[in-house]
């Protein structure tokens, strides 16, 4: 697994506003690059189980969170302790159950 080069270390940030039922692309695939998910904070509008996964036909599931209405989850990782990695050339997707919206933010890096 390649690591971001010391001189290339610039964390990127994305706002999460996933309001569609089903798959919501949070971070688009970057050709030939892995996504390092460093930290996240997510809050849901209604009770349900959200899933962070890649965009494969049979997705690799990185995390599944059953949350109460207005509940949330966070991970304050960083370069030395990333939450998880998305394979090179894959997008990060959040899957919402019917009637659940997910809001928040994610920090990440590519390598």
């Amino acid at each position: 697994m390649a690591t971001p080069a010391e001189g290339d270390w610039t964390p990127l940030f994305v706002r999460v506003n996933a309001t569609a039922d089903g798959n919501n692309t949070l971070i688009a695939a970057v050709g030939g690059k892995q996504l390092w998910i460093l930290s996240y904070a997510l809050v849901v509008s209604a009770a349900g189980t959200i899933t962070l996964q890649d965009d494969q036909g049979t997705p690799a599931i990185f995390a599944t969170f059953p949350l109460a209405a207005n509940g949330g989850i966070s991970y304050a990782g960083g370069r030395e302790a990333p939450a998880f990695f998305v394979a090179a050339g894959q997008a990060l997707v959040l899957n919402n159950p019917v009637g659940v919206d997910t809001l928040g933010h994610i920090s990440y890096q590519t390598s």
Side-chain angles (χ1 to χ4, degrees):
M1 166 180 356
T3 59
E6 196 64 39
D8 295 340
W9 179 245
T10 304
L12 304 168
F13 303 91
V14 64
R15 177 178 156 227
V16 175
N17 189 21
T19 58
D21 295 341
N23 289 347
N24 294 262
T25 299
L26 302 181
I27 304 171
V30 178
K33 298 234 180 203
Q34 210 179 29
L35 300 174
W36 285 44
I37 307 306
L38 305 175
S39 64
Y40 54 82
L42 303 170
V43 176
V44 295
S45 62
T49 300
I50 61 172
T51 304
L52 291 170
Q53 60 193 50
D54 69 15
D55 63 347
Q56 286 294 317
T58 303
I61 296 175
F62 306 114
T64 300
F65 303 115
L67 299 170
N70 301 311
I73 187 80
S74 64
Y75 179 78
R79 182 177 188 180
E80 300 302 319
F84 57 87
F85 306 97
V86 180
Q90 298 300 314
L92 176 64
V93 171
L94 184 140
N95 185 279
N96 275 333
V98 173
V100 175
D101 296 339
T102 304
L103 306 175
H105 57 88
I106 294 174
S107 68
Y108 69 102
Q109 171 66 8
T110 61
S111 73

